[in-house]
Amino acid sequence: MRRKGIGWLLALSLLSGCADQKILEKIGFARTIILEKAEGQDKALKVTISIPKTNQTESIVYTDVARSFKQAKIHFDMQNDRRIVLGQLRQVMFGASLARQGVWLPMESVFRDPAIGIRTHVIVAEGDIGRFVTRKYVQGGTMGEYIDNLLRSDPATRGQFDTNLHTFLRDYYDDGAEPVATIIGETVEGLKVKGIALFVRDRYVAKIQAEDAMFFSLLRSDAKNVSLFMDEVETPRGAGSISLANVIGKRKIKILSPPDPNRKKPARIVVELKLKGSLMEYDDLLEMNNLASQPVLERAMGKYVADRCERLIREMQKPGADGIGIGSHVRDRMRYKDWKALDWNQAFSDAEIEVVADIKIRDYGRLIDASA
Amino acid sequence: MKEKLNGFHVALLIFMIELDVTVFMLPRMVAVQIGTNGWLGFLGLSLIAAFNIWLYRLVYRAGQGRSVFDISEAVLPKIVLYPLYASLSLLWLGIGAFAGKSFVLVFQTLSFQTSPPMQIFAVYCLLVYALLAKDLYSIVKASTVFFLLSIWMLVLAPYFFKDWSIHRFTAFFFHGTENGHSLSGMLDVYAVFIGYELCVFLFPFSDAKTKLFKGVFAGHAIITATYLLTILVSFGFFSFEEVKILQFPLIHTLEYIEMPFINRVENLVFPFFLFSNLVTTVMFAFAARSALGRMLPGVEAKRFALPLAAAVFALGFLPSVFREAAALIRLTYFTETCVAFILPLLLLILIKIGGKTSKEASSR
Amino acid sequence: MADGKGNDAGANAAEKTKPTLALVAESVKGCADCLHEKLAGSGAELIYFPTLVDLDCLQRDLIRPLSQASPEQLNSLLSGAPYRTATDLKSCAKSIMDGAAAVFAGQDVYLFDAPKSTGRKIEQSETETIITGPHDGFVEALEENLGVIRKRIRSPKLKSVALEVGEVAKTRAILLYVEGLANEQFVTMLTDRIQDIEIDGVSDANMLVQLIDENPNSLFPQYLTTERPDAVVSKLLGGRIAVILDGSPSVFSAPTAFLEFFSSPDDYYQRWPIGTALRILRLIGFLITICFTAFYVSVTTFHYEMIPHTMLLNLAESRSRVPFPPLIEALLMETTIELLREAGARLPTKIGQTIGIVGGIVIGQAAVQAGFTSNILIIAVAISAIASFVIPSYIMSASLRLIRFGLIVLAGILGNLGLIFGIGFLVVHMAGVTNLGTSYLTPIAPAKFMDILDTLVRGPFWALKKRPSLSRSPNKTRAKIKR
């Protein structure tokens, strides 16, 4: 039976062409797609595509202005010596100005293609993106690989959360959350995570500075191995900076009361953070070997984190971009009709949101105290 | 065959028959037709299916394990039954063919986009033939192994835990459907259960010891749990509105899995669904074989394999694009759902009449 | 065969014919190695094959006493043991061929059994070596093999049925089973099947099993053949039936299921977690050996998305110099490996090593550098080859290697779906295979949970209380160990 089957299959394979073969060395896999606004042209996109060469340090870059991403891809196919495929795409980068205009149409074209993995990173790029792709990086490899590794390894700004096609689309469709994306910009040494882009629907509306990004990650999900730097922690002995490493913790969103637009009552929400980390730097703010002073320091840090997070939330409230998904918690407390009638972006702007942070020092490294 | 089917194997068989191409769309169907927290409604539908199985159990008890054909032929003349057999056979072959063809078409959205689908379907039919040429006992043995080759996928479910949130379920119940709740919508979802009714053809292969219906109920329970897991993963992993617009939510979830040595596992995991589809097609074709075998008692069972596989292949020509396949699946599965409910009721009536006539006959 | 048929009538007549010197001499006529002597003292005449009899024994126990005796004493001397009277011509001729000397004393014919033991001594099996456990292996001589088993099962319940295979060769075979443990139905079934074989001769047990299996066209071996006495003994105690064929160092047991080919007797000599790990390792080896290269072909031909991006460029680089598509590349390399293996098997050990070195350099280094294959494929092929040798049964391992080629072709045509189609065909095929009417897929289908403890894994002895259900033993309990 088997051998007969194989015979049949061989016959069939002879009949069929090899159109669907994607033999490794005969295809060019795009690593990065960059989508920008075409200057001075309406309804046009500037599309750049980067295909790494097999020597691992160079890449082929094509740029084109076209009506859509797919049209540009056809143009690239006309130039490239290998068929361009998108299955190994790692990043979709949007120029900041395009992102401010709205990314839905190109986004839809990317997401619809079943070849493209839904783990592809979504990035908003600042600065002269054309240079990003052609530049040489001391970090080694091509830009695509560099960014990919950067986004995986960087705990300082983003904690553990990932901004990829899946999370973007998921939050885009979720009526209780708004999508976010990582912002990447250029420095002398290479590229840098410059912050987090807040979206309302598909429009990039506000930016969270890189310094605040770690606090944003605390608000967005449970902290897993985040590094926190606090520059002005107020203690009874004066203000100073503290650095906490390996922070893990829980985030809890408590809805004290859901919004009631009829009675003009805004939502009242408390975000509770419970964090634990290793103290890595502190300006001799208190005597650490005095057991009573540690809770004082913890409280001081808690207040700092809460204030910082609240400031962050105010910033997010201005454009009404609920990047941390408070809406999905509020939704749990409302009736369907009320929720549907509610404009959550507006309600988020109006909401009274308080942050409470409880920080515990797990350990303080090698030294108990600096002076003494 | 003298050998009887063990309840355990019946359970796995029922699992494999029920699991077919419809599972890829299941979370979307539930979201669109039942709405938020649709998994609860889905459980309700599963209970309805369980009730239907219970009806079959009544038939089994009342008919004392006689086969459907024996029951109906005892009362109705062959001239009434034969057209019925023929049309049911056609329906079953259609279900088998369309499920198989849809599987191929779904596969072609992932890779082999430009290959002629009928070539791939031909290989599928070859497998159908290979399996159909065997007796039921061998089919069940193969389906047991196929079950093991399918069930391991559940191990992938914990992978999504990290990106899963209960808040995406929302606290609303059965809201947000596309166009309210309709019977046809419920039938759309109910179609995933279709297949359990084939237990009726297992009557001759079971006796009191084999616990046929324990197996059927167990199989239905396992499949319900599996479906439920699929729905729960999708609903917590995607946002509700997103599930409603995703073509195959199940495949999208698989796409997310990335391991250090392998990415995009949907390319590897998806083909494993071949087995459950295959068992579906083969068992429906087996049902057709049983019916046709009744009409042509002189023909050896194995002789049916080639013409039936050829018929499945021929029916596969009907849908050429996924839209048509989906429409045909809807049509045949709806019909089959009706058959699934009418059949036991009809049989119960026939047993009643048959019982009377035989009693009368014996009293005279 | 034709010869056998033609002689049927003659054979029937011969049964009744009383053997005489003339008739016996006639039957061995033309055999140059046959000796016909007349003893000086008693005047008795002897016919025997010096090649078949133990000459020392013959000299001591037959020729010397008979030479010293007078003709009158002759009949009384020969009437008791160790001499026996030959009653018919056929059995007389057969006994001579078995290593007896025929003594003609007047009208009467006596037989003296002095078979010479030929062949090698019991030594370690070369195909199935193990580290711990008994190191003896079966040899070509049936008596030796039977003796080794009898020594291990010292019970009169170990029954043996003498059979004969081959119409011309008339090779002896012994069917062994333990009374009360083995299913009598299987014993009759197997006896009948062996008796029904009509063929000139059978030279090895591995050939015999192909004549009696239910699925002659299957790729899979359906009887487990082994050269290890401890394996056969454990099968016999498990209620199986074993058959020894004279002239073959392999003994086969029945009924057999697919997974039995993956267990080795030394699994039981290890602690059970280690034994279990070994079993699982072999199953992984099984999967690797049939699928790994096929998967490589499928991924590099159709599913480039699946390759992790860190590996992708390396792989593409290595592939870029290869002129063949992955399918051809893989088939070429697999064929090369098979060539090496076959060449190594045919050559004496010393030259075999050279083959290994040449092969290692050629396929390891030069092929990649010359742009003949990609380095990842070398790894895939090598791992597949190594994995295939993990399987204890050489016959099964050879079957799997052939299946691998089928799957590679399928993967080259339909990618992962082709691979899965191939596995589907395998499963469908195996679902139809039976051995003495039992399912080849036991204990997976039909599922026997107790058996899984002793097939997929090697359970602790306190858990292995039942005999394998496959043997349908009338006595199901094998151990009464309490934890």
Side-chain angles (χ1 to χ4, degrees), chain C residues 144-155 158 233:
Chain C
E144 295 274 1
N145 295 347
L146 187 55
V148 169
I149 294 172
R150 279 246 182 249
K151 260 183 206 157
R152 282 181 161 88
I153 306 177
R154 299 174 18 149
S155 156
L158 176 66
V233 165

Side-chain angles (χ1 to χ4, degrees), chain A residues 37-51:
Chain A
K37 215 164 112 176
E39 292 305 323
Q41 275 176 284
D42 244 15
K43 287 188 180 174
L45 273 175
K46 185 180 163 202
V47 182
T48 309
I49 197 168
S50 157
I51 302 161

Side-chain angles (χ1 to χ4, degrees), chain B residues 3-76:
Chain B
E3 281 154 304
K4 297 285 177 192
L5 292 179
N6 188 322
F8 175 74
H9 294 281
V10 170
L12 303 192
L13 185 68
I14 294 292
F15 176 95
M16 292 301 277
I17 302 175
E18 289 196 29
L19 186 66
D20 56 27
V21 73
T22 45
V23 70
F24 302 127
M25 311 162 236
L26 176 65
R28 168 161 58 91
M29 285 297 179
V30 170
V32 170
Q33 305 294 357
I34 310 184
T36 49
N37 281 308
W39 57 276
L40 266 174
F42 177 81
L43 280 183
L45 288 178
S46 173
L47 284 180
I48 295 177
F51 166 74
N52 196 347
I53 296 173
W54 181 74
L55 287 181
Y56 284 103
R57 187 161 168 266
L58 286 186
V59 173
Y60 184 64
R61 287 280 169 87
Q64 282 142 1
R66 276 183 299 158
S67 82
V68 221
F69 304 113
D70 288 339
I71 295 172
S72 38
E73 277 164 27
V75 180
L76 294 172

Side-chain angles (χ1 to χ4, degrees), chain A residues 1 5 9 16 19-20 22 87 90 114-115 117-119 152 164 166 169-170 173-174 329 331-332 334 336, chain B residues 109 112-115 119 123 126 159 167-168 170-172 175-176 237 239 241-242 245 252 256 258 264:
Chain A
M1 203 65 66
L9 278 173
S16 76
D20 288 325
K22 294 188 181 96
R90 305 304 298 181
I118 57 175
R119 261 178 188 269
R152 275 167 203 280
N164 52 34
H166 164 67
L169 265 290
R170 182 191 68 201
Y173 281 110
D174 197 335
H329 291 77
R331 186 173 54 197
D332 291 350
M334 291 178 72
Y336 184 71
Chain B
T109 64
F112 291 89
Q113 289 88 348
T114 60
S115 296
Q119 269 181 21
V123 187
L126 216 63
Y159 188 88
H167 299 289
R168 299 201 188 99
T170 75
F172 315 130
H175 284 294
F237 184 68
S239 51
E241 294 296 322
E242 194 184 8
I245 54 121
H252 289 285
Y256 199 67
E258 194 164 275
R264 303 289 294 279

Side-chain angles (χ1 to χ4, degrees), chain A residues 2-57:
Chain A
R2 239 178 66 80
R3 252 170 285 162
K4 218 189 280 172
I6 290 169
W8 266 94
L9 278 173
L10 277 174
L12 281 173
S13 72
L14 290 176
L15 290 172
S16 76
C18 300
D20 288 325
Q21 284 193 354
K22 294 188 181 96
I23 299 178
L24 212 53
E25 70 276 10
K26 301 217 167 94
I27 48 175
F29 358 84
R31 259 291 145 77
T32 314
I33 304 173
I34 300 167
L35 301 160
E36 291 169 276
K37 215 164 112 176
E39 292 305 323
Q41 275 176 284
D42 244 15
K43 287 188 180 174
L45 273 175
K46 185 180 163 202
V47 182
T48 309
I49 197 168
S50 157
I51 302 161
K53 288 169 86 165
T54 48
N55 65 13
Q56 313 215 6
T57 51

Side-chain angles (χ1 to χ4, degrees), chain C residues 291-307:
Chain C
C291 293
F292 200 57
T293 313
F295 187 56
Y296 165 87
V297 170
S298 146
V299 165
T300 48
T301 316
F302 297 104
H303 305 288
Y304 69 96
E305 306 99 318
M306 295 180 70
I307 308 167

Side-chain angles (χ1 to χ4, degrees), chain A residues 52-229:
Chain A
K53 288 169 86 165
T54 48
N55 65 13
Q56 313 215 6
T57 51
E58 291 169 66
S59 52
I60 309 165
V61 176
Y62 295 112
T63 306
D64 189 41
V65 174
R67 284 292 292 271
S68 77
F69 163 57
K70 289 283 166 176
Q71 192 195 11
K73 186 179 169 265
I74 291 170
H75 292 165
F76 301 148
D77 268 327
M78 292 171 184
Q79 300 169 57
N80 201 32
D81 60 338
R82 292 171 179 183
R83 198 158 124 225
I84 297 172
V85 291
L86 299 170
Q88 285 279 351
L89 196 71
R90 305 304 298 181
Q91 302 104 27
V92 183
M93 289 172 101
F94 293 103
S97 54
L98 177 72
R100 287 198 185 276
Q101 213 175 49
V103 295
W104 177 241
L105 282 180
M107 188 62 126
E108 186 251 288
S109 139
V110 169
F111 191 66
R112 189 179 288 277
D113 190 340
I116 295 176
I118 57 175
R119 261 178 188 269
T120 308
H121 289 122
V122 176
I123 292 164
V124 171
E126 279 181 349
D128 182 6
I129 310 173
R131 263 174 53 80
F132 287 18
V133 273
T134 45
R135 224 184 111 165
K136 285 245 181 295
Y137 293 99
V138 283
Q139 287 82 357
T142 55
M143 182 198 69
E145 212 184 327
Y146 176 28
I147 295 183
D148 200 48
N149 292 336
L150 178 66
L151 295 191
R152 275 167 203 280
S153 63
D154 161 37
T157 46
R158 296 162 41 263
Q160 289 282 315
F161 78 84
D162 206 358
T163 62
N164 52 34
L165 274 180
H166 164 67
T167 59
F168 193 95
L169 265 290
R170 182 191 68 201
D171 293 343
Y172 174 83
Y173 281 110
D174 197 335
D175 48 9
E178 293 296 347
V180 295
T182 312
I183 301 177
I184 291 230
E186 203 182 4
T187 61
V188 183
E189 295 84 16
L191 298 172
K192 188 182 171 192
V193 176
K194 290 243 165 139
I196 287 164
L198 296 175
F199 283 72
V200 167
R201 300 298 285 165
D202 64 329
R203 278 180 307 109
Y204 165 33
V205 290
K207 174 179 173 183
I208 289 175
Q209 295 300 329
E211 298 296 311
D212 290 332
M214 48 185 141
F215 295 98
F216 178 76
S217 84
L218 295 183
L219 289 172
R220 190 172 149 102
S221 58
D222 291 346
K224 282 166 204 147
N225 201 355
V226 182
S227 309
L228 286 184
F229 179 73

